[in-house]
Amino acid sequence: MRRHGPVPPRLLALADGQGHLVSAAQCSAEGVSPNRRASLVRAGTWTRPTHGVYDTAPADVAAPDDARRRAAWLGLLALGPDAAAVGSCALALHGVRGLPSVVEPEVALAGGRRGRPRDGILVRRYEAPHVVVGTARAVPLPVALAQSLCRLPRRHVVAVLDDVLHRELLDDGETHRLVAALAGRRGCRRVRLWSELVDPRAESPLESYARLVCVDAGVPPDDLQVVVRDARGRPVARGDLGWRLPDGRWLLAEIDGREFHDVAEALLHDRHRQNALVATRGVEVLRFAAEDVSDGSVARTVRSVLGLHWRPSPTAPPTGNLLLEALAMR
């Protein structure tokens, strides 16, 4: 009985950059024959999520960002070298945050050709140029945003735009192309409406979600990224969301993302930071995790601390943002 050698390291290295996925053509180029691939699948070492594509690490549980990029690669590898990622998959490859945890693989073929969907992979008929992001083909960021925003739920529209604006991912020319591409699309009216909730000061999608939960509960924050100073006027720290209390102090909400705040060093940093905040005697601090945002605990806790007589006096987000001003004018 013939014994197979190990999978070539170069193929596994290639897979690592493609969400642990490889195509049949890539396998053949590295000397992994159809028989060898079949034996790996039979043994459970690999799986085949769709025809011509293999998952080299099926037991790995991907983080949300990795899972979204994997969805993009699944479509690209399944449809071949003429495919480009579009919509939310393209946004994932561009590194945009705030997308749903699960996105459907979707691609377009060169020249807007038709393609047959299979195994949950959507083939869109878009005639758009592509760019290379890393080693993947995807439509440019303004095109991907125009394709996605009109189909996303409100919380993700706001979080995606928060992220794009906070990190200044679009230049002026790209902003104009996005606004023009949105015009006339089904759903563009609600995107314009929801853009009023966008605030480029949000530093993470979780902060954006928490802010929306509080807005919906009638306790919108008075300010974001509130700078707290000590008795000498020196900055001590910033709070993610802030509400002015009747006595002039601040109620601050800290939104702890699991990916960073579960690390021991980060927990120590957070503890020192919170102690410094409380020592100023000018703030009360609440700490929330992702689960508190999703189940509404953030808004309930904030409301209970603020009391019945609190009235919002929101600080307007920074002005002069070209995208938000353009969307408001349409």
Side-chain angles (χ1 to χ4, degrees), residues 62-69 71 98-104 155-156 209:
D65 285 344
D66 294 334
R68 288 185 283 262
R69 286 190 289 270
L99 293 165
S101 297
V102 177
V103 299
E104 292 181 296
R155 70 195 298 257
H156 296 294
Y209 303 149

Side-chain angles (χ1 to χ4, degrees), residues 11 14 18 21-32 73 77:
L11 182 63
L14 178 64
Q18 300 177 165
L21 302 176
V22 288
S23 69
Q26 290 171 335
C27 290
S28 295
E30 293 296 331
V32 180
W73 274 108
L77 295 172

Side-chain angles (χ1 to χ4, degrees), residues 222 242-252 278 280-285 305-306:
D222 291 322
W243 293 261
R244 270 292 186 189
L245 296 170
D247 60 6
R249 296 180 304 132
W250 282 99
L251 171 65
L252 300 182
V278 174
T280 67
R281 301 183 184 277
V283 299
E284 291 187 26
V285 182
V305 174
L306 292 176

Side-chain angles (χ1 to χ4, degrees), residues 97 158-168 195-212 215 220-227 238-243 250 252-255 273 313-321 324:
R97 301 178 300 180
V158 173
V160 163
L161 288 176
D162 277 0
D163 183 59
V164 167
L165 297 180
H166 176 73
R167 295 195 287 148
E168 300 180 343
S195 70
E196 297 175 1
L197 297 167
V198 172
D199 195 315
R201 295 173 296 176
E203 295 184 340
S204 73
L206 196 56
E207 288 182 28
S208 301
Y209 303 149
R211 187 177 81 248
L212 284 179
V215 168
D222 291 322
D223 210 350
L224 307 184
Q225 310 307 329
V226 179
V227 178
R238 286 184 298 140
D240 298 331
L241 309 177
W243 293 261
W250 282 99
L252 300 182
E254 293 286 277
I255 313 299
R273 183 167 172 269
S313 55
T315 301
T319 58
N321 185 279
L324 297 183

Side-chain angles (χ1 to χ4, degrees), residues 162-199:
D162 277 0
D163 183 59
V164 167
L165 297 180
H166 176 73
R167 295 195 287 148
E168 300 180 343
L169 299 182
L170 296 174
D171 61 28
D172 287 354
E174 291 170 326
T175 297
H176 287 300
R177 288 197 288 277
L178 169 58
V179 173
L182 280 172
R185 285 182 179 269
R186 180 182 298 175
C188 67
R189 184 173 299 178
R190 66 179 188 177
V191 172
R192 291 200 301 270
L193 178 65
W194 294 340
S195 70
E196 297 175 1
L197 297 167
V198 172
D199 195 315

